[in-house]
Amino acid sequence: MKDLSDEEYARLAEKWTKTTPKVGPNGSGYFSQRKAAAHTVTIDDFSANYLNTKAMADHKTPAEIVSEMVRERVAAIV
């Protein structure tokens, strides 16, 4: 990686010191996304393949499929 010139460094420093991080209620900001990343769960290959196949067939995301499955299980308990 090449070194920054003094001018490039000054512009970069100004950008980062004057830019306010976006934190919003819709979860689109950096810090909101970091919180969402903390909810990551690791699964085995079989489960991942099932989720991806089901998601593609239903035109949904794997997260939506998992959410539906969890809600069904909770509803069955109650």
Coordinates of all heavy atoms in Angstrom, one line a residue:
M1 N 0.8 -1.2 0.0 CA 0.0 0.0 0.0 C 0.9 1.2 0.0 O 1.8 1.3 0.8 CB -0.9 0.0 1.2 CG -1.8 1.2 1.4 SD -2.7 1.0 2.9 CE -4.2 1.8 2.4
K2 N 0.6 2.2 -0.9 CA 1.4 3.4 -1.0 C 1.1 4.3 0.2 O 0.0 4.3 0.7 CB 1.2 4.1 -2.3 CG -0.1 4.8 -2.4 CD -0.1 5.6 -3.7 CE -1.2 6.7 -3.6 NZ -1.1 7.7 -4.5
D3 N 2.1 5.1 0.5 CA 1.9 6.1 1.6 C 1.1 7.2 1.1 O 1.1 7.6 -0.1 CB 3.3 6.7 2.0 CG 4.1 5.6 2.7 OD1 3.5 4.7 3.3 OD2 5.4 5.7 2.7
L4 N 0.3 7.9 2.0 CA -0.5 9.0 1.6 C 0.3 10.3 1.6 O 1.3 10.4 2.3 CB -1.6 9.2 2.7 CG -2.6 8.1 2.8 CD1 -3.6 8.4 4.0 CD2 -3.4 7.9 1.6
S5 N 0.0 11.1 0.6 CA 0.6 12.4 0.6 C 0.1 13.3 1.8 O -0.9 12.9 2.4 CB 0.4 13.1 -0.7 OG -1.0 13.5 -0.8
D6 N 0.7 14.3 2.1 CA 0.2 15.2 3.2 C -1.2 15.7 2.9 O -2.0 15.8 3.8 CB 1.2 16.4 3.4 CG 2.5 16.0 4.0 OD1 2.6 14.9 4.6 OD2 3.5 16.8 3.9
E7 N -1.4 16.0 1.6 CA -2.8 16.5 1.2 C -3.8 15.4 1.4 O -4.9 15.7 1.9 CB -2.7 17.0 -0.2 CG -4.1 17.6 -0.7 CD -4.0 18.0 -2.2 OE1 -3.0 18.6 -2.6 OE2 -5.0 17.7 -2.9
E8 N -3.5 14.2 1.0 CA -4.4 13.1 1.1 C -4.7 12.8 2.6 O -5.8 12.5 3.0 CB -3.9 11.9 0.4 CG -3.9 12.0 -1.1 CD -3.1 10.8 -1.8 OE1 -2.1 10.4 -1.2 OE2 -3.5 10.4 -2.9
Y9 N -3.6 12.8 3.4 CA -3.8 12.5 4.8 C -4.7 13.6 5.4 O -5.5 13.3 6.2 CB -2.4 12.5 5.5 CG -2.5 12.3 6.9 CD1 -2.7 11.0 7.4 CD2 -2.4 13.3 7.8 CE1 -2.8 10.8 8.8 CE2 -2.5 13.1 9.2 CZ -2.7 11.8 9.7 OH -2.9 11.6 11.0
A10 N -4.5 14.9 5.1 CA -5.3 16.0 5.7 C -6.7 15.8 5.3 O -7.6 16.0 6.2 CB -4.7 17.3 5.2
R11 N -7.0 15.4 4.1 CA -8.4 15.2 3.6 C -9.1 14.1 4.4 O -10.2 14.1 4.8 CB -8.5 15.0 2.1 CG -8.4 16.3 1.3 CD -8.8 16.0 -0.1 NE -8.3 14.8 -0.7 CZ -7.5 14.7 -1.7 NH1 -7.2 15.8 -2.4 NH2 -7.0 13.6 -2.1
L12 N -8.3 13.0 4.5 CA -8.8 11.8 5.2 C -9.1 12.1 6.7 O -10.1 11.8 7.3 CB -7.8 10.7 5.1 CG -8.3 9.3 5.6 CD1 -9.6 8.8 4.9 CD2 -7.2 8.3 5.5
A13 N -8.1 12.8 7.3 CA -8.3 13.2 8.7 C -9.5 14.1 8.9 O -10.2 13.9 9.9 CB -7.0 13.9 9.2
E14 N -9.7 15.0 8.0 CA -10.8 16.0 8.1 C -12.1 15.2 8.0 O -13.1 15.4 8.7 CB -10.7 17.0 7.0 CG -11.8 18.0 7.1 CD -11.7 19.1 6.1 OE1 -10.7 19.2 5.4 OE2 -12.7 19.9 5.9
K15 N -12.2 14.3 7.0 CA -13.4 13.5 6.8 C -13.8 12.7 8.1 O -14.9 12.7 8.5 CB -13.2 12.5 5.6 CG -14.4 11.6 5.4 CD -14.2 10.6 4.4 CE -15.4 9.7 4.3 NZ -15.2 8.6 3.3
W16 N -12.8 12.0 8.7 CA -13.1 11.2 9.8 C -13.4 12.0 11.1 O -14.1 11.5 12.0 CB -12.0 10.1 10.0 CG -12.1 9.1 9.0 CD1 -11.2 8.9 8.0 CD2 -13.1 8.1 8.8 NE1 -11.6 7.8 7.2 CE2 -12.8 7.3 7.7 CE3 -14.3 7.8 9.5 CZ2 -13.6 6.3 7.2 CZ3 -15.1 6.8 9.0 CH2 -14.7 6.1 7.9
T17 N -12.8 13.2 11.2 CA -13.1 14.0 12.4 C -14.4 14.7 12.3 O -15.0 15.1 13.3 CB -11.9 14.9 12.7 OG1 -11.7 15.8 11.6 CG2 -10.7 14.2 13.1
K18 N -14.9 15.0 11.1 CA -16.1 15.7 10.9 C -17.3 14.9 10.6 O -18.4 15.4 10.4 CB -15.9 16.8 9.8 CG -15.0 17.9 10.2 CD -14.9 19.0 9.2 CE -14.0 20.1 9.7 NZ -13.9 21.2 8.7
T19 N -17.1 13.6 10.4 CA -18.2 12.7 10.1 C -18.8 12.1 11.3 O -18.1 11.5 12.1 CB -17.7 11.5 9.1 OG1 -17.1 12.1 8.0 CG2 -18.9 10.6 8.7
T20 N -20.1 12.3 11.5 CA -20.8 11.7 12.6 C -21.3 10.3 12.3 O -22.0 10.2 11.2 CB -22.0 12.6 13.0 OG1 -21.5 13.9 13.3 CG2 -22.7 12.1 14.3
P21 N -21.0 9.3 13.1 CA -21.6 8.0 12.8 C -23.1 8.0 12.8 O -23.7 8.7 13.6 CB -21.0 7.1 13.9 CG -20.0 7.9 14.6 CD -20.2 9.3 14.3
K22 N -23.7 7.3 11.8 CA -25.1 7.2 11.7 C -25.6 6.1 12.6 O -25.3 4.9 12.4 CB -25.5 6.9 10.3 CG -25.2 8.1 9.3 CD -25.5 7.7 7.9 CE -25.1 8.9 7.0 NZ -25.4 8.6 5.6
V23 N -26.5 6.5 13.6 CA -27.1 5.5 14.4 C -28.6 5.8 14.4 O -29.0 6.9 14.8 CB -26.6 5.6 15.9 CG1 -27.3 4.6 16.8 CG2 -25.1 5.4 16.0
G24 N -29.3 4.9 13.8 CA -30.8 5.2 13.6 C -31.6 4.1 14.1 O -31.2 3.0 14.3
P25 N -32.9 4.4 14.2 CA -33.8 3.3 14.7 C -34.1 2.2 13.7 O -34.6 1.2 14.1 CB -35.1 4.1 15.0 CG -35.0 5.3 14.1 CD -33.5 5.6 14.0
N26 N -33.7 2.5 12.5 CA -34.0 1.5 11.4 C -32.9 0.4 11.3 O -33.0 -0.5 10.5 CB -34.3 2.1 10.1 CG -33.1 2.9 9.6 OD1 -32.0 3.0 10.3 ND2 -33.2 3.5 8.4
G27 N -31.8 0.6 12.1 CA -30.8 -0.4 12.1 C -29.8 -0.3 10.9 O -29.1 -1.2 10.6
S28 N -29.8 0.9 10.2 CA -29.0 1.0 9.1 C -27.6 1.6 9.4 O -26.7 1.6 8.6 CB -29.6 1.9 8.0 OG -29.9 3.2 8.6
G29 N -27.4 2.1 10.6 CA -26.1 2.7 11.0 C -25.1 1.7 11.4 O -25.4 0.5 11.6
Y30 N -23.8 2.1 11.4 CA -22.7 1.2 11.7 C -22.9 0.5 13.0 O -22.7 -0.7 13.1 CB -21.4 2.0 11.7 CG -20.2 1.2 12.1 CD1 -19.6 0.3 11.2 CD2 -19.7 1.2 13.4 CE1 -18.5 -0.5 11.6 CE2 -18.7 0.5 13.8 CZ -18.1 -0.4 12.9 OH -17.0 -1.1 13.3
F31 N -23.2 1.2 14.1 CA -23.3 0.6 15.4 C -24.5 -0.3 15.5 O -24.4 -1.3 16.2 CB -23.3 1.7 16.5 CG -22.0 2.5 16.5 CD1 -22.0 3.7 16.1 CD2 -20.9 1.9 17.0 CE1 -20.8 4.5 16.1 CE2 -19.7 2.6 17.0 CZ -19.6 3.9 16.6
S32 N -25.6 0.0 14.8 CA -26.7 -0.9 14.8 C -26.4 -2.2 14.1 O -26.8 -3.3 14.5 CB -27.9 -0.3 14.1 OG -28.3 0.9 14.8
Q33 N -25.6 -2.1 13.0 CA -25.2 -3.3 12.3 C -24.3 -4.2 13.2 O -24.3 -5.4 13.1 CB -24.6 -3.0 11.0 CG -25.6 -2.4 10.0 CD -25.0 -1.9 8.7 OE1 -23.8 -2.0 8.5 NE2 -25.8 -1.4 7.8
R34 N -23.4 -3.5 13.9 CA -22.5 -4.3 14.8 C -23.3 -5.1 15.8 O -22.9 -6.2 16.2 CB -21.5 -3.4 15.5 CG -20.6 -2.5 14.6 CD -19.7 -3.3 13.7 NE -19.2 -4.5 14.1 CZ -18.8 -5.5 13.2 NH1 -19.0 -5.4 12.0 NH2 -18.3 -6.6 13.7
K35 N -24.4 -4.5 16.3 CA -25.2 -5.2 17.3 C -25.8 -6.4 16.6 O -25.9 -7.5 17.2 CB -26.3 -4.3 17.9 CG -27.2 -5.0 18.9 CD -28.2 -4.1 19.4 CE -29.2 -4.8 20.3 NZ -30.3 -4.1 20.7
A36 N -26.3 -6.3 15.4 CA -26.9 -7.4 14.7 C -25.9 -8.5 14.4 O -26.2 -9.6 14.5 CB -27.5 -6.9 13.4
A37 N -24.7 -8.1 14.2 CA -23.6 -9.1 13.9 C -23.4 -9.9 15.2 O -22.9 -11.1 15.1 CB -22.3 -8.4 13.4
A38 N -23.6 -9.4 16.3 CA -23.4 -10.1 17.6 C -24.4 -11.3 17.7 O -24.2 -12.2 18.5 CB -23.5 -9.2 18.8
H39 N -25.5 -11.3 16.9 CA -26.5 -12.3 16.9 C -26.2 -13.5 16.0 O -27.0 -14.3 15.7 CB -27.9 -11.8 16.6 CG -28.4 -10.8 17.7 ND1 -29.0 -11.2 18.8 CD2 -28.3 -9.5 17.8 CE1 -29.3 -10.2 19.6 NE2 -28.9 -9.1 19.0
T40 N -25.0 -13.5 15.4 CA -24.6 -14.5 14.5 C -24.6 -15.9 15.1 O -24.0 -16.0 16.2 CB -23.3 -14.2 13.8 OG1 -23.4 -12.9 13.2 CG2 -22.9 -15.2 12.8
V41 N -25.1 -16.9 14.5 CA -25.1 -18.3 15.0 C -24.4 -19.1 13.9 O -24.7 -19.0 12.7 CB -26.5 -18.8 15.3 CG1 -26.5 -20.2 15.7 CG2 -27.2 -17.9 16.3
T42 N -23.5 -20.0 14.3 CA -22.9 -20.9 13.4 C -23.7 -22.2 13.3 O -24.1 -22.8 14.3 CB -21.4 -21.2 13.8 OG1 -20.8 -20.0 13.9 CG2 -20.7 -22.1 12.8
I43 N -23.9 -22.7 12.1 CA -24.7 -24.0 11.9 C -23.9 -24.9 11.0 O -22.9 -24.5 10.4 CB -26.0 -23.7 11.3 CG1 -25.9 -23.0 9.9 CG2 -26.9 -22.9 12.2 CD1 -27.2 -22.9 9.2
D44 N -24.2 -26.2 11.0 CA -23.5 -27.2 10.3 C -23.9 -27.1 8.8 O -24.9 -26.4 8.4 CB -23.9 -28.6 10.8 CG -25.3 -28.9 10.7 OD1 -26.1 -28.6 11.6 OD2 -25.8 -29.5 9.7
D45 N -23.1 -27.8 7.9 CA -23.3 -27.7 6.5 C -24.7 -28.2 6.0 O -25.3 -27.6 5.2 CB -22.3 -28.5 5.7 CG -20.9 -27.8 5.8 OD1 -20.9 -26.6 5.9 OD2 -19.9 -28.5 5.6
F46 N -25.2 -29.2 6.6 CA -26.5 -29.8 6.3 C -27.6 -28.7 6.5 O -28.4 -28.5 5.6 CB -26.8 -31.1 7.1 CG -28.1 -31.6 6.8 CD1 -28.3 -32.4 5.6 CD2 -29.2 -31.4 7.6 CE1 -29.6 -32.9 5.3 CE2 -30.5 -31.9 7.3 CZ -30.7 -32.7 6.2
S47 N -27.6 -28.1 7.7 CA -28.6 -27.1 8.0 C -28.5 -25.9 7.1 O -29.5 -25.3 6.6 CB -28.4 -26.7 9.5 OG -28.6 -27.8 10.3
A48 N -27.2 -25.5 6.8 CA -27.0 -24.3 5.9 C -27.5 -24.6 4.5 O -28.2 -23.7 3.9 CB -25.5 -23.9 5.9
N49 N -27.3 -25.8 4.0 CA -27.8 -26.2 2.7 C -29.3 -26.2 2.7 O -29.9 -25.7 1.7 CB -27.2 -27.5 2.3 CG -25.7 -27.4 1.9 OD1 -25.2 -26.4 1.6 ND2 -25.0 -28.5 2.1
Y50 N -29.9 -26.8 3.7 CA -31.3 -26.8 3.8 C -31.9 -25.4 3.8 O -32.9 -25.1 3.0 CB -31.8 -27.5 5.0 CG -33.3 -27.5 5.2 CD1 -34.2 -28.3 4.5 CD2 -33.8 -26.5 6.1 CE1 -35.5 -28.2 4.7 CE2 -35.2 -26.4 6.3 CZ -36.1 -27.2 5.6 OH -37.4 -27.1 5.7
L51 N -31.4 -24.5 4.6 CA -31.9 -23.2 4.7 C -31.7 -22.4 3.4 O -32.7 -21.7 3.0 CB -31.2 -22.4 5.8 CG -31.6 -22.8 7.3 CD1 -30.6 -22.1 8.3 CD2 -33.0 -22.4 7.5
N52 N -30.6 -22.5 2.8 CA -30.4 -21.8 1.5 C -31.3 -22.4 0.4 O -31.9 -21.6 -0.4 CB -28.9 -21.9 1.1 CG -28.0 -21.1 1.9 OD1 -28.4 -20.0 2.3 ND2 -26.8 -21.5 2.2
T53 N -31.5 -23.7 0.4 CA -32.4 -24.3 -0.6 C -33.8 -23.8 -0.4 O -34.6 -23.4 -1.3 CB -32.3 -25.8 -0.6 OG1 -30.9 -26.2 -0.8 CG2 -33.2 -26.4 -1.6
K54 N -34.3 -23.9 0.9 CA -35.6 -23.5 1.2 C -35.9 -22.0 1.0 O -36.9 -21.6 0.4 CB -35.9 -23.8 2.7 CG -37.2 -23.4 3.2 CD -38.2 -24.6 3.0 CE -39.5 -24.2 3.8 NZ -40.7 -24.4 2.9
A55 N -34.9 -21.2 1.3 CA -35.0 -19.8 1.1 C -35.1 -19.4 -0.4 O -35.9 -18.6 -0.8 CB -33.8 -19.0 1.7
M56 N -34.3 -20.1 -1.3 CA -34.4 -19.8 -2.7 C -35.7 -20.3 -3.2 O -36.4 -19.6 -4.0 CB -33.3 -20.6 -3.4 CG -31.9 -19.9 -3.3 SD -30.6 -20.5 -4.4 CE -30.4 -22.2 -3.7
A57 N -36.2 -21.4 -2.8 CA -37.5 -21.9 -3.3 C -38.7 -21.0 -2.9 O -39.6 -20.8 -3.6 CB -37.7 -23.4 -2.7
D58 N -38.6 -20.5 -1.7 CA -39.7 -19.6 -1.1 C -39.4 -18.1 -1.4 O -40.3 -17.3 -1.0 CB -39.8 -19.8 0.4 CG -40.3 -21.2 0.7 OD1 -40.7 -22.0 -0.2 OD2 -40.3 -21.5 1.9
H59 N -38.3 -17.8 -2.1 CA -38.0 -16.4 -2.4 C -37.9 -15.6 -1.1 O -38.5 -14.5 -1.0 CB -39.0 -15.8 -3.4 CG -39.1 -16.5 -4.7 ND1 -38.1 -16.5 -5.6 CD2 -40.0 -17.3 -5.2 CE1 -38.4 -17.2 -6.6 NE2 -39.6 -17.8 -6.4
K60 N -37.2 -16.1 -0.1 CA -37.0 -15.5 1.2 C -35.5 -15.5 1.5 O -34.8 -16.2 0.8 CB -37.8 -16.1 2.3 CG -39.3 -16.0 2.0 CD -40.1 -16.7 3.1 CE -41.6 -16.6 2.9 NZ -42.3 -17.4 3.9
T61 N -35.2 -14.9 2.6 CA -33.8 -15.0 3.1 C -33.7 -16.1 4.1 O -34.8 -16.5 4.7 CB -33.4 -13.7 3.8 OG1 -34.2 -13.5 5.0 CG2 -33.5 -12.5 2.9
P62 N -32.5 -16.7 4.3 CA -32.4 -17.7 5.3 C -32.9 -17.3 6.7 O -33.5 -18.0 7.5 CB -30.9 -18.1 5.3 CG -30.5 -17.8 3.9 CD -31.3 -16.5 3.5
A63 N -32.6 -16.0 7.0 CA -33.1 -15.5 8.3 C -34.6 -15.5 8.4 O -35.1 -15.8 9.5 CB -32.5 -14.0 8.5
E64 N -35.3 -15.2 7.3 CA -36.7 -15.3 7.4 C -37.2 -16.7 7.6 O -38.2 -16.9 8.4 CB -37.3 -14.7 6.1 CG -37.2 -13.2 5.9 CD -37.6 -12.7 4.6 OE1 -37.3 -13.4 3.6 OE2 -38.2 -11.6 4.5
I65 N -36.6 -17.7 7.0 CA -36.9 -19.1 7.2 C -36.7 -19.5 8.6 O -37.6 -20.1 9.3 CB -36.1 -20.0 6.2 CG1 -36.3 -19.6 4.8 CG2 -36.4 -21.5 6.5 CD1 -37.7 -19.8 4.3
V66 N -35.6 -19.1 9.2 CA -35.3 -19.5 10.6 C -36.3 -18.8 11.5 O -36.8 -19.4 12.4 CB -33.9 -19.1 11.0 CG1 -33.6 -19.2 12.5 CG2 -32.9 -19.9 10.2
S67 N -36.6 -17.5 11.3 CA -37.6 -16.8 12.1 C -38.9 -17.5 12.1 O -39.6 -17.7 13.1 CB -37.7 -15.4 11.6 OG -38.6 -14.7 12.4
E68 N -39.4 -17.9 10.9 CA -40.7 -18.6 10.8 C -40.6 -19.9 11.6 O -41.6 -20.3 12.3 CB -41.0 -18.9 9.3 CG -41.4 -17.7 8.5 CD -41.5 -17.9 7.0 OE1 -41.4 -19.1 6.6 OE2 -41.8 -17.0 6.3
M69 N -39.5 -20.7 11.4 CA -39.4 -22.0 12.1 C -39.5 -21.8 13.7 O -40.1 -22.5 14.4 CB -38.1 -22.7 11.7 CG -38.1 -23.1 10.3 SD -36.5 -23.7 9.7 CE -36.3 -25.2 10.6
V70 N -38.8 -20.8 14.1 CA -38.7 -20.5 15.6 C -40.1 -20.1 16.0 O -40.6 -20.6 17.1 CB -37.7 -19.4 15.9 CG1 -37.8 -18.9 17.4 CG2 -36.3 -19.9 15.7
R71 N -40.8 -19.2 15.3 CA -42.1 -18.8 15.7 C -43.1 -19.9 15.7 O -44.0 -20.0 16.6 CB -42.6 -17.7 14.8 CG -41.9 -16.4 15.0 CD -42.3 -15.3 13.9 NE -41.4 -14.2 13.9 CZ -41.4 -13.2 14.8 NH1 -42.3 -13.2 15.8 NH2 -40.5 -12.2 14.7
E72 N -43.0 -20.9 14.8 CA -43.9 -22.0 14.7 C -43.6 -22.9 16.0 O -44.6 -23.4 16.6 CB -43.6 -22.9 13.5 CG -44.2 -22.2 12.2 CD -43.7 -23.0 11.0 OE1 -43.1 -24.1 11.1 OE2 -44.0 -22.5 9.9
R73 N -42.4 -23.1 16.4 CA -42.1 -23.9 17.5 C -42.6 -23.2 18.8 O -43.1 -23.9 19.7 CB -40.5 -24.1 17.7 CG -39.9 -25.0 16.6 CD -40.4 -26.5 16.7 NE -39.9 -27.1 17.9 CZ -38.8 -27.9 18.0 NH1 -38.1 -28.1 16.9 NH2 -38.5 -28.5 19.1
V74 N -42.4 -21.9 18.9 CA -42.9 -21.2 20.1 C -44.4 -21.3 20.2 O -45.0 -21.5 21.2 CB -42.4 -19.8 20.1 CG1 -43.1 -18.9 21.2 CG2 -40.9 -19.7 20.3
A75 N -45.1 -21.1 19.0 CA -46.5 -21.2 19.0 C -47.1 -22.6 19.4 O -48.1 -22.7 20.0 CB -47.1 -20.8 17.6
A76 N -46.3 -23.6 19.0 CA -46.7 -25.0 19.4 C -46.6 -25.2 20.9 O -47.3 -26.0 21.5 CB -45.9 -26.0 18.6
I77 N -45.7 -24.5 21.6 CA -45.5 -24.7 23.0 C -46.6 -24.0 23.8 O -47.1 -24.4 24.8 CB -44.1 -24.1 23.4 CG1 -43.0 -24.9 22.8 CG2 -44.0 -24.1 24.9 CD1 -41.6 -24.4 23.0
V78 N -47.0 -22.8 23.3 CA -48.0 -22.0 24.0 C -49.4 -22.5 23.9 O -49.9 -23.2 23.3 CB -47.9 -20.5 23.5 CG1 -49.0 -19.6 24.1 CG2 -46.5 -19.9 23.7

